[in-house]
């Protein structure tokens, strides 16, 4: 009987040891990996026109034996079509430069029409500013450069035949933007020397959490400028912030010819 009890006690101890060993060596499941969608396509109707991160430009680089040509892909949005007026009233349209031509009398137009025109101009301003200040809309030769600025940055020679000075670049940029609000970035990104124009080409990535922007209201009006409220929507951030909205101002500077150019503006991505 004592032998049987001893055997049973030994078996119990062995079972307990096996059980503890399993607990010590048990695997902990890995946490789920965070995933992020870089492009979010927003729905729109005829009353609420938005610009999306999927509309942003992408750059491709093609190398030859001596020249690197940087080209910017064409951007398409719901507003940048043959009928930019989503209300169908024909009150405004894009011109060949990307500015908005308001054909109706702005003083008699209702707020809904003015907001729709501002949305179209805001989208064009985003595309233009992205092209000039984030990328470079011109072909450059990366084997030909100058060093300038306090940090001796490399500026690469622009090879487009119609661009030979900083003034050429500035004139192109201000076909969409008003010179009433000079760009603080443009002079740092382009320069000229000995009859050639040069570009810094300091490309960066876009804010992957940016979703859409929407002109939501009118803040003020004057004889040649309308200030609007724009809301920029973001899906979240790496800092743990959830979806949120940032409110900013956007203005349209109105020329005597009825052309609207972007005034107060901040690229939302």
């Amino acid at each position: 009987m004592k032998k049987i009890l001893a055997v049973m006690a030994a078996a119990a101890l062995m079972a307990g040891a096996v059980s503890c060993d399993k607990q010590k060596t048990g695997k902990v499941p890995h946490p789920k990996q965070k995933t992020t969608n870089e492009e979010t396509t927003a729905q729109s109707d005829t009353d609420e026109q938005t610009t999306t991160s999927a509309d942003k430009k992408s750059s491709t680089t093609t190398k030859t034996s001596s020249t690197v040509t940087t080209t910017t892909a064409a951007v398409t949005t719901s507003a940048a079509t043959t009928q930019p007026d989503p209300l169908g009233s024909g009150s405004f349209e894009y011109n060949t430069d990307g500015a908005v031509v308001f054909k109706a009398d702005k003083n008699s137009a209702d707020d809904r029409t003015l907001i729709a025109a501002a949305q179209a101009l805001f989208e064009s301003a985003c595309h233009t500013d992205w092209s000039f200040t984030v990328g470079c809309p011109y072909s450059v030769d990366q084997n030909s450069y100058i060093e300038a600025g306090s940090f001796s940055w490399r500026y690469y020679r622009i090879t487009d035949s119609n661009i030979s000075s900083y003034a050429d670049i500035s004139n192109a940029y201000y076909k969409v933007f008003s010179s009433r609000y000079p760009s603080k970035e443009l002079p740092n990104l382009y320069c000229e020397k000995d009859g050639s124009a040069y570009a810094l080409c300091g490309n960066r990535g876009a804010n992957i959490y940016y979703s859409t922007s929407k002109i939501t209201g009118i803040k003020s009006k004057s004889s040649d400028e309308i200030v609007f409220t724009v809301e920029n929507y973001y899906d979240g951030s790496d800092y743990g912030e959830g979806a949120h909205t940032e409110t900013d101002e956007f203005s349209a500077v109105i020329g005597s010819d009825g052309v609207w150019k972007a005034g107060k503006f901040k690229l939302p991505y």
Side-chain angles (χ1 to χ4, degrees):
M1 185 63 179
K2 290 182 180 180
K3 289 183 179 181
I4 294 175
L5 290 175
V7 171
M8 291 177 65
L13 288 172
M14 290 179 64
V18 172
S19 176
C20 290
D21 184 61
K22 285 184 178 180
Q23 290 177 8
K24 291 180 182 179
T25 59
K27 294 183 178 180
V28 179
H30 293 288
K32 292 182 179 179
Q33 297 292 324
K34 178 182 177 182
T35 60
T36 306
N37 291 326
E38 293 193 5
E39 296 183 351
T40 302
T41 302
Q43 295 181 347
S44 63
D45 55 29
T46 57
D47 293 332
E48 296 181 353
Q49 295 295 312
T50 59
T51 179
T52 68
S53 58
D55 294 330
K56 292 193 285 294
K57 294 183 178 181
S58 59
S59 295
T60 57
T61 301
T62 305
K63 284 191 176 181
T64 64
S65 58
S66 61
T67 303
V68 174
T69 302
T70 302
T71 57
T72 305
V75 173
T76 57
T77 66
S78 57
T81 63
T82 55
Q83 173 59 2
D85 182 352
L87 306 180
S89 63
S91 298
F92 62 89
E93 63 184 10
Y94 285 112
N95 63 15
T96 56
D97 299 323
V100 166
V101 179
F102 202 86
K103 298 186 291 184
D105 181 5
K106 68 177 179 62
N107 296 318
S108 60
D110 58 21
D111 288 357
R112 189 163 171 257
T113 302
L114 296 175
I115 288 173
Q119 183 72 46
L121 179 60
F122 182 83
E123 293 180 3
S124 183
C126 284
H127 304 156
T128 302
D129 195 63
W130 173 271
S131 175
F132 278 84
T133 66
V134 179
C136 175
Y138 306 113
S139 301
V140 301
D141 181 358
Q142 292 192 341
N143 295 315
S144 177
Y145 61 85
I146 61 174
E147 294 182 348
S150 56
F151 297 101
S152 297
W153 290 330
R154 288 186 177 183
Y155 289 76
Y156 299 95
R157 184 172 60 85
I158 295 173
T159 59
D160 287 37
S161 59
N162 60 331
I163 303 295
S164 59
S165 67
Y166 177 80
D168 293 333
I169 299 165
S170 177
N171 290 338
Y173 182 83
Y174 288 109
K175 287 180 178 179
V176 173
F177 288 89
S178 170
S179 58
R180 181 177 298 179
Y181 297 90
S183 170
K184 296 180 180 179
E185 295 183 81
L186 210 63
N188 296 322
L189 300 174
Y190 300 91
C191 62
E192 64 176 270
K193 184 178 181 180
D194 299 330
S196 294
Y198 292 80
L200 182 61
C201 298
N203 294 347
R204 66 165 174 82
N207 185 337
I208 63 174
Y209 299 103
Y210 171 77
S211 178
T212 63
S213 291
K214 184 174 67 175
I215 304 294
T216 56
I218 297 174
K219 292 193 68 175
S220 63
K221 295 180 184 179
S222 68
S223 60
D224 64 351
E225 187 171 9
I226 305 176
V227 181
F228 300 88
T229 300
V230 57
E231 292 186 353
N232 304 310
Y233 303 99
Y234 299 86
D235 294 331
S237 76
D238 283 331
Y239 300 102
E241 298 176 359
H244 62 283
T245 302
E246 295 180 2
T247 302
D248 210 340
E249 287 186 352
F250 172 70
S251 73
V253 178
I254 304 167
S256 58
D257 54 358
V259 175
W260 288 22
K261 292 186 177 182
K264 294 181 180 180
F265 172 79
K266 180 182 177 182
L267 186 67
Y269 46 81

